Amino acid sequence: MTATSPRLKHEVKDLGLAALGRQRIEWAGREMPVLRQIRDRFAIEKPFAGLRLVACAHITTETAHLAIALKAGGADALLIASNPLSTQDDVAASLVLDHEIPVFAQKGEDNETYNRHVQIALDHRPNIIVDDGSDVVATLIQQRQHQIADLIGSTEETTTGIVRLRAMFREGVLTFPAVNVNDADTKHFFDNRYGTGQSTLDGIIRATNILLAGKNIVVVGYGWCGKGTALRARGMGANVIVTEIDPIKAIEAVMDGFRVLPMAEAAHQGDIFITVTGNKHVVRGEHFDVMKDGAIVCNSGHFDLELDLKYLAANAKEIKEVRPFTEEYKLKNGKSVVVLGQGRLINLAAAEGHPSAVMDMSFANQALACEFLVKNKGKLEPGLHSIPVEVDQEIARLKLQAIGITIDSLTPDQIEYINSWTSGT
């Protein structure tokens, strides 16, 4: 249902969940010291005073800390979900009730509601867009060209969103600056690898309660998300098979100790299939048809299009829910395929997403990317911009400091040596 509040407009499931959300947000904050330091500075400096900000993100305990930090910096912030199954309803309620941040998100919302929320976000006339998959930016460009004049810029933290932004720029429609948060070292090395690896297996286990040891797990795609997923699956005792289209990544997977096969061969052997490519229909009809009876498929890429679910539905004689977030498709060939989380992000559909310790760095990047846009308003060319290296390194330094780790620094003699071409052996 839609909750109502006398203070602000919003659409959340139930404001009565706010107490639980508040408790969980506080727990997540224990492992987010970098973002806490940024929030404290923002509260003093108010870099976003007078600015309207929209965030399209997974509404989780970690995202809550980003939203609170941005509001502390003076932003008139509004949040919508970036995925229909990723919202934590108690967190959404707490953001509305405890922090007076408008949230338009409910776990399980249909596509019509999701698209309506995108329109509500644009009705806010944002000066900054924090995007997760580039749906808000794409809708702005396609339907609301007149609002681009209001925009200072956007930030994006998913591989899928970066691919879309690059396509927009090639076609000449990205006429404002966008910050590539996804490729910051303190984001993709940790969030994509360790966060996705752990939370994906967490989602699979919560949805199925199966033993992973001894299973053949097929990881589709060996980017940073795939690397983390394959690493964690092997750690749980699984026999990991990787499929790839990039020869360099395929060699890397081989040298990391994994079997590499074409999907046409892996489809016969897998017990569990995990897609992490950001592309469309990487598991298709010809793959479903030859899978083992009872094979489990799930997705940890951004959109559910990685699995050709329309084919499955068209070729199923029966579809039934066998556990929460677990649907069995009984196919006409007599076998069954089990789909987790409706093909959406399994780590958020059936679990709680990435651990807060890694999201601390990811959202520190988001917060500082927003500040970077404001500080450089009118100076940045249209197109994608990287997080400055010094910002990336500062986030890493703060993280190390927070967990009590110190590292070495170069001596003057070493600095002279590495900057000289005349010194040799």
Side-chain angles (χ1 to χ4, degrees), residues 170-187:
R170 284 196 305 270
E171 294 180 17
V173 297
L174 185 62
T175 57
F176 50 85
V179 180
N180 181 353
V181 171
N182 182 71
D183 290 349
D185 288 347
T186 47
K187 196 277 181 182

Side-chain angles (χ1 to χ4, degrees), residues 127-129 137 148 151-156 165 169 173-180 369 372-374 376-386:
N127 306 119
I128 298 173
I129 296 172
V137 166
I148 292 178
L151 201 62
I152 296 172
S154 69
T155 71
E156 173 60 56
L165 286 170
F169 187 65
V173 297
L174 185 62
T175 57
F176 50 85
V179 180
N180 181 353
F372 174 73
L373 285 170
V374 173
N376 292 277
K377 179 181 177 182
K379 302 175 186 177
L380 300 174
E381 295 292 325
L384 275 173
H385 297 264
S386 299

Side-chain angles (χ1 to χ4, degrees), residues 32 124 192-193 261 268 311 314 342 352 382 396 408:
M32 301 186 77
H124 195 55
N192 295 28
R193 176 168 42 171
L261 296 174
H268 292 271
Y311 177 90
Q342 299 175 20
E352 298 179 51
D408 291 322

Side-chain angles (χ1 to χ4, degrees), residues 216-220 241-244 259-273 282-284 286-292 295 335:
N216 291 333
I217 293 183
V218 179
V219 177
V220 186
I241 299 168
V242 170
T243 72
E244 248 303 338
R259 293 174 64 201
V260 176
L261 296 174
M263 177 55 74
E265 294 182 33
H268 292 271
Q269 301 184 33
D271 299 304
I272 303 168
F273 296 79
V282 293
V283 180
R284 303 182 294 277
E286 66 265 31
H287 307 136
F288 291 127
D289 287 344
V290 299
M291 285 181 182
K292 298 177 182 179
K335 294 190 290 187

